[in-house]
Each structure stands twice: as structure tokens, then as C-alpha cells.
Amino acid sequence: MQRLIPTLRKDNVDAALISVLHSLQICAKEIAYRLSQGEMAGVLGSTLDENIQGETQKKLDVLANQLLKDILLESDFVRAVASEEEDGIVNGNLQGKYLVAFDPLDGSSNIDINSVVGTIFSVLPVPANASGEADMFLQPGNHQVAAGYVLYGPSTMLVLTTGHGVRMFTLDQTVGEFLLTDDQVTIEPSTREFAINMSNYRHWQDGMRRYVDDLLQGVEGPRGKNFNMRWVAAMVADVHRVLCRGGLFAYPWDGRSADKPYKLRLMYEGNPMAWLVEQAGGLAYTESQRIMTIQPTDIHQRISVILGSADEVKSCLNYLESSQK
Ligand code: F6P
Ligand code: MN
């Protein structure tokens, strides 16, 4: 089985970008190890102890953030990083060609129950006349040069696109390498599975409620088929399932509180997942727009997300279109 770096070389990925992805790979292995240590993670230490010196018994999402920052900012090719765990951007090498936005541990409430979590990342080019400020990151998702996630489950997997389709790599613990285990991930257009937090039903707009009502009616309803529901409550795991066997994943607009109508973040959740899903043949939209065409206004901007099997996303959007908020 092919290792990560030779696979990227075969795709003619820019050497500097390969180096950034190599740094991410190092982070992934370290975070996977820490997660496997569970409650002991903060005290037992590990191979990269010098990078996180003085940090005792930190929560794992804080540790993951620190590791990603330390290792990525050491790279000659990383100009700056933006993280869910940091208010502002953190500058790295002034000559760096790339910006990396990441969610260090997505689904972090799953840590407490020893369940699946992941690191989501998006790599963007440094724009011309880079300011050294957060506005460098404010580029639509279709500017991404690499995007993916690391899933820390029963096995650790790296799922990646550089625009040549979607590849899945599995961490071989015996040699400490990510090996190519699926070189052409594709999402079937049709599905019978959906993922949504049903407890928000009463807060959704009418179109969303009607869409889900019809899914729930199964063969007896207008959709004419039975649907199954799955919800891991970690976007990274729910999207991974969609990439593995299709489905629709949605975190739509909801009216719980006027100042926070969306849950997921554009720069390090929506965009990287949207690119992966599109590269695998699926669709990724908000209620009204392809996610990757959104011009961001803030590095921590939130958006609604409807992604997955193409026919099902279209069907959901039809319900939304034919009704008002
Ligand atoms: O990062 C936000 C997140 O943890 C996602 O991974 C996940 O999809 C969502 O929140 C879960 O939210 P809820 O609390 O509604 O299940
Ligand atoms: Mn998250």
C-alpha cells in the first residue's frame, strides 16, 4: 500500500504543500497517540514533549490545538494559522506560501465518552500583498489547495483532497505511516440515510421541517422509501460516514437565538468538508448557496450546512426553496 507522501508526489502536488501536509501528518500521529492515552494524556507525555513543555493535564482539545500550532508554525511554508481555539490568527514564517485553518478536535464533547473525534483542516494560498492579519484567510472555499480531516476512531484515518479526488489513508500503527486504503472515494447520488439533530426540529424553518416530515413518512409518504437516521454528533464522523456510504448531513438554520442562527464554522468545518464532498461527487450547500462560493467575512463565521448525496441534497433544497423562512 502506498504511503501519503509518494501519493501526493504522484499527483504532482507542489513540494511546499507536501511539506505542510507532512507536518499535519506528524500532528495527526501525535494527537492519535494522546487520544489513545485517554485520561492519562496530559500526564504521561510523549515523543513531542518539548513542543508542549510546561503543559500538564491540559484538556485534549487544548493539547491538540497547541500541537498543531507548534508543529505547523515551525514549517518554512506556513505563513499563519487560524484555529477554532484561537480568537485571532497566529503568524508563522513570513516567507510561507500557505495558510492553514483548523478545528483541532471536532466533536470534542465525544472525548468525555471515549468516542470518535477528528481534526479538520483547510489549506489556502497566501494572497498577494498579505497583510499579516486575519483578512488573509478571508477567501472562498474554492481557493483551497488542500483540505481534509483526521478521524480518530477504532483506527486513525486521514481523508484528503488536493483537487485530485478524495483519498483515504489509514494509520498503520506498526510502522507509523498513513497508507492509502481508498484512492477514489465516491458518494452515490441516491441515499436512504440522513443525519440531523432532530431535537432542533421546532426551531427550523418550515421547508426543513417539511423535508424531514416527508423522510419520516417513509414508503407511505411522498418520498416512497424508508429512511434511516444516524447522528454521531461530531461533524467529522457524520461526514466520514457520508463519504463512506452516502447520506445527507445537515446542520441548518435554526431560530433558537437570533444572534446564533448557525452552528458550524465556514473556514474550518464547512469549506474543507464541502470540497471533500464535491470531490467525491456529492453536493455541499447552505440553504441558498454552494458553500465554497461564500465570501467569508470573519475567520470564525458560522454557516448552515446541507451536504452529501447529490440527489438528496437537491431534494432538500427544493423543499427549502418552495417555502419561506
Ligand atoms: O463543531 C461543532 C459540532 O461539535 C459538530 O462537530 C457537530 O456536528 C455538532 O457540533 C454537534 O452539535 P449538537 O450539539 O447539535 O449535536
Ligand atoms: Mn467542530
Side-chain angles (χ1 to χ4, degrees):
M1 270 178 263
Q2 203 166 35
R3 288 173 296 126
L4 173 67
I5 304 299
T7 311
L8 294 169
R9 285 205 189 107
K10 233 166 127 183
D11 284 340
N12 289 320
V13 175
D14 169 52
L17 182 55
I18 292 181
S19 175
V20 174
L21 294 168
H22 179 65
S23 296
L24 278 163
Q25 174 185 226
I26 293 170
C27 298
K29 288 193 268 187
E30 178 70 14
I31 296 169
Y33 170 74
R34 297 265 174 178
L35 284 166
S36 72
Q37 296 296 95
E39 286 292 308
M40 287 94 75
V43 274
L44 282 187
S46 151
T47 48
L48 293 170
D49 249 0
E50 63 272 21
N51 294 97
I52 52 164
Q53 238 165 31
E55 307 234 347
T56 50
Q57 203 72 51
K58 281 265 166 86
K59 289 187 74 177
L60 277 160
D61 44 0
V62 179
L63 271 178
N65 182 54
Q66 194 64 47
L67 277 163
L68 282 154
K69 266 197 314 178
D70 286 345
I71 294 171
L72 286 171
L73 294 175
E74 259 176 17
S75 162
D76 288 345
F77 307 107
V78 176
R79 176 71 175 80
V81 300
S83 162
E84 195 198 332
E85 298 281 336
E86 306 280 335
D87 285 344
I89 66 160
V90 187
N91 276 295
N93 192 310
L94 287 177
Q95 314 307 323
K97 290 167 69 173
Y98 296 111
L99 306 168
V100 187
F102 53 82
D103 181 351
L105 270 193
D106 176 64
S108 51
S109 63
N110 273 1
I111 296 170
D112 301 337
I113 56 165
N114 193 21
S115 200
V116 64
V117 288
T119 300
I120 310 175
F121 57 88
S122 163
V123 186
L124 290 161
V126 173
N129 307 317
S131 63
E133 308 289 336
D135 63 279
M136 295 188 292
F137 282 83
L138 304 181
Q139 310 176 42
N142 54 26
H143 286 198
Q144 293 173 107
V145 292
Y149 60 82
V150 183
L151 189 79
Y152 310 103
S155 59
T156 296
M157 294 188 74
L158 170 65
V159 179
L160 179 68
T161 186
T162 54
H164 302 89
V166 179
R167 305 264 159 77
M168 290 189 180
F169 300 84
T170 305
L171 181 60
D172 180 342
Q173 302 278 4
T174 57
V175 291
E177 290 278 359
F178 281 98
L179 303 180
L180 183 63
T181 44
D182 189 340
D183 72 345
Q184 207 188 354
V185 176
T186 45
I187 303 175
E188 289 296 315
S190 146
T191 182
R192 289 166 181 264
E193 201 161 68
F194 70 104
I196 196 163
N197 186 341
M198 285 293 292
S199 69
N200 297 325
Y201 179 91
R202 70 190 184 286
H203 302 299
W204 298 335
Q205 52 182 288
D206 281 353
M208 200 66 203
R209 279 202 288 258
R210 275 212 294 277
Y211 167 66
V212 172
D213 286 344
D214 285 356
L215 297 184
L216 297 183
Q217 284 189 54
V219 279
E220 289 86 25
R223 300 299 308 276
K225 59 181 180 179
N226 290 328
F227 281 81
N228 197 7
M229 202 201 82
R230 285 286 182 270
W231 184 251
V232 183
M235 183 199 200
V236 69
D238 283 308
V239 173
H240 186 69
R241 186 187 56 254
V242 168
L243 285 167
C244 289
R245 65 173 191 220
L248 176 127
F249 168 86
Y251 216 116
W253 179 96
D254 74 52
R256 262 176 292 178
S257 63
D259 59 334
K260 200 186 150 193
Y262 311 114
K263 172 113 188 191
L264 300 176
R265 315 292 186 129
L266 173 60
M267 306 290 306
Y268 39 80
E269 292 180 321
N271 274 338
M273 294 312 201
W275 198 22
L276 287 169
V277 166
E278 288 194 4
Q279 282 284 310
L283 294 177
Y285 275 74
T286 66
E287 279 88 3
S288 56
Q289 189 178 355
R290 239 183 96 211
I291 289 175
M292 288 209 298
T293 62
I294 298 171
Q295 172 59 51
T297 53
D298 186 284
I299 51 170
H300 298 297
Q301 181 173 348
R302 295 173 191 267
I303 48 147
S304 56
V305 171
I306 300 162
L307 61 75
S309 294
D311 292 351
E312 204 49 47
V313 172
K314 282 184 202 151
S315 165
C316 179
L317 294 175
N318 283 339
Y319 279 80
L320 292 165
E321 209 177 297
S322 58
S323 87
Q324 288 174 334
K325 247 186 206 175

